[in-house]
Amino acid sequence: MAYRAWTTVWGWTMSLGLAVSAVAAPAAPETAQVTVHADRPGAVIHREIYGQFAEQLGRGIDEGIWVGEQSPIPNVHGYRKDVLDALKAIHVPVIRWPGGCYADEYHWRDGIGPRGQRPVRPNRSWGGEDRNAFGTHEFMDFAESVGAEAYLAANMGTGSPREMSDWLEYLTGDGPTTLARERRANGRDKPWKVAYLGIGNESWGCGGQMRGAYYADQYRQYATFARPLGKQTLTKVASGANADDYAWTEAVMAGAAAQIDAYGVHYYTIPTGDWKHKGAATGFGEQEWISTLKAALRMDELVTRHSAIMDKYDPAKRIALAVDEWGTWYDTEPGASALYQHNSLRDALVAAITLDIFHAHADRVRMANIAQMVNVLQAMILTDKQRMVLTPTYHVFDLYQVFQGATSLPVDVHAGDYAFGGLRIPGLYATAARGTDGAVHIALTNPNPTRPLRVALALPGLKAKTVSGRLLSAPAIDTINTFDHPNAVKPVSFDGATVGADGSIMVSMPAKAVVVLDVR
Ligand code: AHR
């Protein structure tokens, strides 16, 4: 039965109509064992780890999200309709804006009032200009239309506590104050809800080159005045460490833990490990494939070690760890807009593995924001004038929607390694959770580009009756969706899993693939 299912999967691969000669003949499948402890529910996977980040740079917002009401591109009050619909479909829980580095040079008053009269400012961080057409009203209304919480990043680098406090009054005031009246005059009667407020961004770098202890003091001052009006609860997010800068975490926790609600960490996956020559988004070989996946796996160590420092100051885990920038970062192709990059099957696996890591740390990691939502870095969506394409990463966020708000289940994986060119990583990744729909959802990722796997799934605490699934793979490791061929990497239904008489499950897992199973 399993063999029959495997041939079905292979048949699917072949039926994509791509150069069959370019696809290596599959190696014989190995067998891996996975145990999902359905009887040992763990922490809830906060929806917010499926969050997004949209910085005012390149074509991320202008063109990607915002085209204006007069645009020939179909739009709803100036927002691209195709992009809006695609984001609603994956239930984006939270969006971070306006940066990024740009947040520390952004002044909110530039982005309110009649659009034609707003100032044009240089974007010193990423080049180009900001016409400020997409300002506070445009962002807050956009987040509301998507159904997402707003995560604003306040300017600490070139701003002041007063500027931040005025912004909060403008946004949340429900009384007769001058700033609340100004908001109403600008077209928004009801206060908005501001769920998260970042205080500075990368304050160790583009946000002001501060030292940890100094930032902690600055944070305390700003946090004191970060008070929304009315009955809102605001989660204040401290600007956390760059990747493995544990000294920063130590200093900020020692100096300000009591004032912090969430602590941000940023980590980008780059294939070469060299920021000057990061590697290409497409046309790469197996060496860059495995080095990228290995680099993505570092997230586990980073989260573990930052969490351990936080545990010292916050053993009750009141403070959330927010990985509020993560994703792949490749060399930008000549002529492309700032930080624009293609997104291949490799990015889909990076996303799946990273989300698996967040699930495993669900007790502490309670928000994450992939960088970035549209046309920038590891985007969900790419646009070219009228056209839009969903990336392989988007499809992972779609497949993984079932994990939003689900209760994590511990998973043991016994599988051989996948090795290439002197690098070695585990040969299978798995995550599982009981969804809000009652079903057990299991995601499996096989990083080996040529070898399929047979996965024997044991489920103590659950005697499975039915299993169904969806599969994401592609003919080649660097297959991308293009504007002309937007469906080269797209989820298909998966019939490679079967339930045995004892309620266990056998899965025939194709090479270089992500499978998400629904077990009942
Ligand atoms: O996401 C791009 C940039 O990466 C952000 O502006 C900055 O915070 C980080 O260095």
Side-chain angles (χ1 to χ4, degrees):
M1 187 64 179
Y3 176 73
R4 191 166 65 79
W6 180 79
T7 53
T8 305
V9 169
W10 180 241
W12 169 83
T13 303
M14 304 283 275
S15 74
L16 283 173
L18 287 125
V20 171
S21 58
V23 180
E30 284 176 359
T31 300
Q33 262 88 36
V34 173
T35 304
V36 172
H37 297 278
D39 51 351
R40 284 170 37 196
V44 167
I45 297 168
H46 281 245
R47 294 186 62 222
E48 288 76 7
I49 71 160
Y50 288 85
Q52 303 282 328
F53 171 33
E55 183 165 8
Q56 188 71 46
L57 77 86
R59 294 188 299 116
I61 289 175
D62 293 330
E63 288 190 40
I65 296 169
W66 176 258
V67 288
E69 288 102 332
Q70 308 311 323
S71 171
I73 297 174
N75 68 82
V76 183
H77 305 306
Y79 309 106
R80 287 185 75 117
K81 186 174 178 325
D82 50 2
V83 169
L84 205 51
D85 289 346
L87 294 172
K88 281 186 198 166
I90 55 169
H91 297 102
V92 173
V94 55
I95 306 172
R96 178 174 184 248
W97 176 86
C101 293
Y102 188 64
D104 280 304
E105 54 176 308
Y106 180 74
H107 300 283
W108 67 271
R109 293 206 69 96
D110 289 348
I112 57 169
R115 267 184 221 116
Q117 292 169 28
R118 296 184 193 172
V120 178
R121 304 285 186 205
N123 183 330
R124 291 187 172 85
S125 301
W126 303 110
E129 290 83 36
D130 182 2
R131 295 173 297 120
N132 280 297
F134 191 91
T136 294
H137 288 249
E138 289 78 12
F139 171 70
M140 296 301 291
D141 289 349
F142 171 65
E144 253 183 18
S145 315
V146 171
E149 301 279 20
Y151 173 7
L152 295 172
N155 181 343
M156 178 189 267
T158 62
S160 65
R162 178 176 182 171
E163 184 183 9
M164 176 201 64
S165 162
D166 283 353
W167 199 13
L168 284 173
E169 180 184 329
Y170 183 88
L171 287 152
T172 63
D174 55 359
T177 70
T178 300
L179 287 171
R181 285 211 309 268
E182 188 177 358
R183 184 197 68 233
R184 290 188 198 104
N186 284 334
R188 171 76 183 200
D189 185 31
K190 264 192 351 184
W192 284 289
K193 179 180 170 208
V194 182
Y196 299 91
L197 185 75
I199 299 186
N201 168 75
E202 298 196 348
S203 303
W204 40 262
C206 64
Q209 303 280 345
M210 299 175 198
R211 286 174 291 189
Y214 177 76
Y215 172 75
D217 282 346
Q218 287 276 100
Y219 175 90
R220 291 162 68 116
Q221 183 187 352
Y222 274 72
T224 305
F225 301 101
R227 287 178 299 210
L229 297 182
K231 294 205 174 68
Q232 300 201 14
T233 317
L234 177 69
T235 297
K236 295 171 213 166
V237 188
S239 167
N242 178 23
D244 61 358
D245 184 355
Y246 302 115
W248 180 272
T249 300
E250 186 70 52
V252 173
M253 284 293 137
Q259 286 79 24
I260 296 173
D261 302 320
Y263 176 77
V265 165
H266 292 181
Y267 174 62
Y268 285 97
T269 295
I270 57 176
T272 59
D274 175 358
W275 278 95
K276 291 203 181 79
H277 307 281
K278 296 180 271 296
T282 55
F284 53 84
E286 192 167 348
Q287 194 64 48
E288 290 80 16
W289 165 267
I290 191 170
S291 69
T292 307
L293 298 180
K294 194 172 172 72
L297 286 173
R298 251 193 102 204
M299 184 66 85
D300 189 45
E301 180 192 327
L302 299 175
V303 166
T304 303
R305 293 188 59 184
H306 286 297
S307 297
I309 298 168
M310 293 170 75
D311 285 348
K312 275 200 312 189
Y313 297 92
D314 174 37
K317 298 190 192 293
R318 180 189 63 80
I319 306 172
L321 181 54
V323 185
D324 50 5
E325 286 188 30
W326 69 273
T328 53
W329 195 326
Y330 308 121
D331 294 326
T332 306
E333 282 170 32
S337 54
L339 307 193
Y340 179 90
Q341 64 190 33
H342 284 289
N343 191 301
S344 71
L345 179 67
R346 176 176 61 170
D347 296 271
L349 268 79
V350 167
I353 290 170
T354 306
L355 293 167
D356 293 355
I357 293 168
F358 295 156
H359 293 176
H361 294 274
D363 59 341
R364 182 66 92 173
V365 179
R366 301 202 286 269
M367 180 161 69
N369 307 81
I370 189 168
Q372 296 192 7
M373 199 154 67
V374 188
N375 290 334
V376 174
L377 300 177
Q378 190 176 349
M380 301 292 117
I381 296 169
L382 301 176
T383 67
D384 176 23
K385 302 186 181 70
Q386 312 272 350
R387 300 193 291 177
M388 175 200 85
V389 73
L390 303 176
T391 66
T393 301
Y394 176 94
H395 292 307
V396 169
F397 274 67
D398 180 18
L399 290 177
Y400 271 53
Q401 280 195 65
V402 288
F403 292 111
Q404 290 194 17
T407 302
S408 60
L409 298 172
V411 176
D412 300 324
V413 179
H414 295 282
D417 286 348
Y418 156 51
F420 184 86
L423 297 179
R424 179 174 290 276
I425 60 173
L428 179 68
Y429 301 90
T431 189
R434 191 176 288 278
T436 47
D437 56 358
V440 169
H441 302 282
I442 303 168
L444 302 170
T445 298
N446 178 4
N448 193 312
T450 51
R451 187 179 283 272
L453 273 178
R454 289 156 62 91
V455 182
L457 260 177
L459 298 143
L462 174 73
K463 187 164 181 204
K465 293 191 187 67
T466 63
V467 60
S468 57
R470 292 169 80 200
L471 162 75
L472 188 70
S473 187
I477 52 178
D478 65 342
T479 304
I480 60 172
N481 289 333
T482 65
F483 296 103
D484 292 328
H485 300 284
N487 294 322
V489 192
K490 192 179 177 188
V492 293
S493 107
F494 177 67
D495 63 0
T498 51
V499 180
D502 61 351
S504 67
I505 293 172
M506 183 62 78
V507 187
S508 294
M509 184 75 205
K512 53 174 165 33
V514 180
V515 162
V516 179
L517 300 174
D518 177 299
V519 182
R520 291 168 197 259

